[in-house]
Amino acid sequence: MERLKAVVLGSAAGGGFPQWNCRCPVCRLAWAGDLRVRARTQTSIAVSIDGSRWVLLNAAPDLRTQIVATPALQPQAARVRDSPVEAVILTGGEVDEIAGLLHLRERQPLAVIGTAATLDTLAANSVFDALAPDVVERRRVAACEPFSIAGIEVELFTVPGKAPLYLERSEPPMSADSTANVGVSLRANGRHLVFVPAAAAMTQAL
């Protein structure tokens, strides 16, 4: 039976580890090559049930580096242009979650999936038009509305958070649930995975 599997592509906060301009005690160890710490790219995972069709959860700025380090995500077919990445599910519009989409701009068919709030953020920035609209589908999904991709049942759900930092115009309530910040529930053949890369509070519902 095909089972849901996940690969952690990155697990660091925004900016990665060590951050490019940070000399805190822990980053200082990383810059010095101390073996007690290990460099990490920004948070993203890849999921699949068959090992040939993959869905990314968020597109970190480090995405190209993550693909280079993950053979399952590299081109497999004999044709010149190919990728096993079938879709990217976005949990929000923060730079850490969307900047890596620009690595996927070489006219490769795939779906970019997110809430209306997140896809509106992409639409408002013409740089993301580099993902050719005739081959890259932007699929809007509502929170708590299940859908299927690559054989995986998926549902987005709101979690406490806020609008992306670069879009803030005031101080929003950090505990408010908003479709600008969601978690992802994935199910396939008896396995269940929940991905919540950012939450402002651990509410009872969460």
Side-chain angles (χ1 to χ4, degrees):
M1 177 186 293
E2 294 177 331
R3 303 291 295 273
L4 181 65
K5 54 182 73 72
V7 175
V8 177
L9 304 179
S11 59
F17 171 72
Q19 290 197 345
W20 71 278
N21 64 343
C22 185
R23 288 279 294 172
C24 74
V26 182
C27 283
R28 199 155 55 237
L29 293 176
W31 293 126
D34 193 300
L35 296 180
R36 290 174 294 174
V37 299
R38 185 172 63 176
R40 292 182 291 147
T41 58
Q42 292 165 87
T43 300
S44 177
I45 68 174
V47 295
S48 176
I49 61 168
D50 58 13
S52 61
R53 303 162 65 201
W54 289 88
V55 177
L56 306 183
L57 304 188
N58 286 339
D62 315 290
L63 180 56
R64 184 184 180 281
T65 297
Q66 294 170 342
I67 290 174
V68 168
T70 310
L73 300 182
Q74 296 167 12
Q76 308 290 330
R79 53 185 176 273
V80 174
R81 296 285 187 184
D82 172 70
S83 172
V85 176
E86 188 160 312
V88 182
I89 299 174
L90 302 173
T91 64
E94 286 283 6
V95 171
D96 311 325
E97 298 163 334
I98 65 175
L101 290 173
L102 297 178
H103 291 298
L104 307 178
R105 67 187 182 275
E106 303 296 342
R107 296 194 60 80
Q108 178 65 37
L110 57 94
V112 175
I113 302 170
T115 64
T118 295
L119 294 191
D120 285 348
T121 297
L122 298 185
N125 191 331
S126 59
V127 71
F128 291 104
D129 292 344
L131 281 78
D134 58 324
V135 295
V136 177
E137 174 193 5
R138 297 190 186 185
R139 187 185 309 175
R140 295 173 180 243
V141 296
C144 301
E145 189 173 281
F147 63 95
S148 179
I149 186 73
I152 303 169
E153 296 300 316
V154 184
E155 185 174 332
L156 307 184
F157 57 94
T158 59
V159 297
K162 58 183 181 59
L165 186 64
Y166 62 92
L167 295 178
E168 285 185 10
R169 298 295 179 265
S170 62
E171 286 296 327
M174 289 292 290
S175 60
D177 284 10
S178 164
T179 58
N181 187 52
V182 299
V184 187
S185 170
L186 307 107
R187 295 179 185 271
N189 297 328
R191 286 191 170 179
H192 184 198
L193 184 150
V194 176
F195 179 68
V196 185
M202 184 61 76
T203 62
Q204 184 62 36
L206 181 54

